[in-house]
Amino acid sequence: MNIAILGYGTVGSGVKEIIDHAVTKSTKQLHVSYILIRKGKAKTLPYMCDDIRTILQDTSVDIIVETMGGLEPAHTYILQALKSGKHVVTANKAVIAAYLKEFTDVAREHNVRIYYEASTGGGIPWIEGLAKAMRIDEVDRIHGIFNGTSNYILDHMQRYHASFEDILKEAQELGYAEADPSADIDGYDICNKLRISASLAYDYHVPDTFPVFGIRNITKQDVSYFSSLGYAVRLIAKTRRNANRYGCVVEPVLFEAGSLESNTQDNYNLITLHGKTIGDLKFFGQGAGKLPTANAIVQDLIDLNEGVCHMDPSFTNTMSYDETLCLRDYILRADEAARDELQDFSYEVKSFEGQEYLHIQKAEVYEMHQVMERMLKTDVHAFMASIYEREDD
Amino acid sequence: MNIAILGYGTVGSGVKEIIDHAVTKSTKQLHVSYILIRKGKAKTLPYMCDDIRTILQDTSVDIIVETMGGLEPAHTYILQALKSGKHVVTANKAVIAAYLKEFTDVAREHNVRIYYEASTGGGIPWIEGLAKAMRIDEVDRIHGIFNGTSNYILDHMQRYHASFEDILKEAQELGYAEADPSADIDGYDICNKLRISASLAYDYHVPDTFPVFGIRNITKQDVSYFSSLGYAVRLIAKTRRNANRYGCVVEPVLFEAGSLESNTQDNYNLITLHGKTIGDLKFFGQGAGKLPTANAIVQDLIDLNEGVCHMDPSFTNTMSYDETLCLRDYILRADEAARDELQDFSYEVKSFEGQEYLHIQKAEVYEMHQVMERMLKTDVHAFMASIYEREDD
């Protein structure tokens, strides 16, 4: 198999490293014939090029590995590759979340395939695990820690009694968090991964209109308060379905101290699916990083080389977003002025003498996020987390 | 695909239930055409029969699902099925551990396949996960909670400060433990699962001669003592390799309170593999039970129907068991008389005033198990557990 790698950053060079140091029969059959680098960059390897057309026109190239990230030109290049009869493998969650249906349609038309195991859960065989479960069960619930950076921050804040700012800085120094950490801490990275997972589970291209609340406002005191109640907080993406209705949300969630989520440390990911016959299945591993992500890409390359078919969704199901599908208990911190937003609130709100936290019972997730949005206009530091409740089978 | 199910106990009836209530395209293509029951039992369904020859001679039967358990007649029936040109799917860990190489050779000769995902880790896609990781990495370490019954006992002893006897009785009443619990609590069930996992990882049919020490002797006081040191105890199967040398062991292991193993509750399983590029991957789920185990069998049936190939080991590697490959710290409880066995012991032994526990540093696993065997002749209640130490990558 002749492979062209688009982009030669962390993940792209990881793919080349695994192929160069192939130790198995499967990996020895892979061959990198092009690396696309940006115009003007030094060509440090003989097969580097800076013009996508060279790669697209070379009929000996079987697979394009896209590791550039972002929407454009990734979107255009992927479409061009598929239309040129080349398979595509990508780790790019943003482009897959946005164009999943278009890519799948175009690939089918041109009798090629697009695989994206690395886009969600990094090195964890999550998309394959989901696809496999769906061969027998309707997967009706998914929830998980899909983002290593936010998990590192929350885990270390709790274990080392530290502030958000201090741990974020530490994570940036270690290379776990980017200079602009917004995508990780505001939940938008996770949002893409949830869209991909839910779209596959429901065979319906889920729009990005579900509620997302991140961890930017969490304080050392919040974490201590949650600990005192026996909880650890994790940034969670969650979806559930009931027939053709579904709900999706990204928000901080409180888990009991003895749960696997509470004990998922550092920058690890933990993703759970539920099906009627299989029950709960959980997958744990490195959700990012050079070699784990490259490993997932190389797994896709091997599948293409060995003719292993992944699930073949058409995204033609009819599903509707149901605001009322999820009811949760929440713990909320907001100042007095912001609390006015709760006056017309129909749920039970408990406040405690001298305590800045409110406990809200069985609130609709969607409504809760709307209230929070209004509160943030008054108290820009407000924070909330829902309480995880194991649903019955 | 026409399927004959041998045995109609918990797992066999679970397979039929999933196929009867098929909700997916993949499961709707499966058809049960025979169920083999014991001679003399009432034929409650029209396609029940009590003569294996009827099934073997029917050329319309594509796959035999063996759910009888035990070595014979399972071993003979599986061989006959393969030689009749029928694929075999089984959940029978004892027969697979013992005859893995013979079955694989005979299947290859007759151009059929034998799949056994359900034999190890129940509903967890463990064998597939291992096979997939091995396409890129040499898997050099595996450890896991492979037995739900022993995990239920250890977890509940700790969480409810209860005795081994009380929790065993509770587990028996709930149907989690059998009337004769030896296979689960003495580690022999796990031993089979470790043999299967290690044999696949090393492409070498691992013999059953490695050390095995179970949890029969654990007391409420032991669990309290381990807790006081910050540990939870789990019955663990572990293997590691270094080039062509390997080690295997089944024994109680102490994990830090914040580890996933310590927080694997009830009768769940948690299995970990390690590879150079993928790092640690962990799989969590139901390791036994009617529908999860049946789910794994039906996954194998779908793979056979859809032409999905599993790994194809030849078990022709040359490996040698290395007694010195694993060094561990141990905590040991034995009476004064039994402690005499430690006199010629070459490792550092720390004892504490008024304390019946000894701490042993960096002992060879194999030697430690031999010493324990001798101690048990003097103190039949002696117990030991090793301390988990995360190895460097």
Side-chain angles (χ1 to χ4, degrees), chain A residues 180-253:
Chain A
D180 174 5
S182 323
D184 292 321
I185 66 175
D186 293 334
Y188 292 101
D189 167 82
I190 304 179
C191 174
N192 284 326
K193 294 167 179 172
L194 178 58
R195 263 185 99 184
I196 296 169
S197 303
S199 295
L200 292 171
Y202 308 149
D203 199 10
Y204 164 76
H205 193 184
V206 169
D208 65 350
T209 46
F210 48 82
V212 176
F213 184 71
I215 59 167
R216 188 180 282 274
N217 282 357
I218 195 168
T219 65
K220 194 169 157 176
Q221 287 68 34
D222 294 338
V223 173
S224 297
Y225 180 63
F226 301 148
S227 289
S228 75
L229 300 174
Y231 295 121
V233 61
R234 291 291 180 265
L235 186 52
I236 294 290
K238 178 161 180 172
T239 182
R240 57 166 300 185
R241 80 182 290 175
N242 186 344
N244 285 333
R245 298 177 302 126
Y246 77 99
C248 281
V249 62
V250 174
E251 65 184 9
V253 177

Side-chain angles (χ1 to χ4, degrees), chain A residues 22 42 64 77 79 91 116 132-133 153 156 183 188 216 241 251 264 345 383 388:
Chain A
I64 303 272
Y77 289 180
L79 282 180
Y116 38 86
K132 189 165 180 177
I153 294 171
H156 283 234
Y188 292 101
R216 188 180 282 274
R241 80 182 290 175
E251 65 184 9
T264 295
F345 210 51
F383 184 74
Y388 180 74

Side-chain angles (χ1 to χ4, degrees), chain A residues 23-24 26 123 128 132 134-136 258 260 263 265 277-278 281-282 284-285 291-292 295 298-299 302-303, chain B residues 23-24 26 123 128 132 134-136 258 260 263 265 277-278 280-282 284-285 291-292 295 299 302-303:
Chain A
V23 294
T24 64
S26 293
E128 190 209 11
K132 189 165 180 177
M134 288 171 61
R135 302 196 308 180
I136 296 178
L260 294 196
N263 293 286
Q265 299 186 343
T277 73
I278 196 64
L281 263 191
K282 291 176 188 271
F284 169 96
L291 290 177
N295 182 294
V298 176
Q299 292 288 6
I302 295 170
D303 280 349
Chain B
V23 294
T24 64
S26 293
E128 191 209 10
K132 189 165 181 178
M134 288 171 61
R135 302 195 309 179
I136 296 177
L260 293 195
N263 293 286
Q265 298 185 345
T277 73
I278 196 65
D280 275 344
L281 264 192
K282 291 176 189 270
F284 169 96
L291 290 177
N295 182 295
Q299 292 288 6
I302 294 169
D303 280 349

Side-chain angles (χ1 to χ4, degrees), chain B residues 99-113:
Chain B
Y99 300 108
L100 187 52
K101 178 156 167 56
E102 182 185 20
F103 289 154
T104 309
D105 289 346
V106 172
R108 193 178 294 113
E109 247 171 70
H110 292 84
N111 206 24
V112 287
R113 292 179 163 272

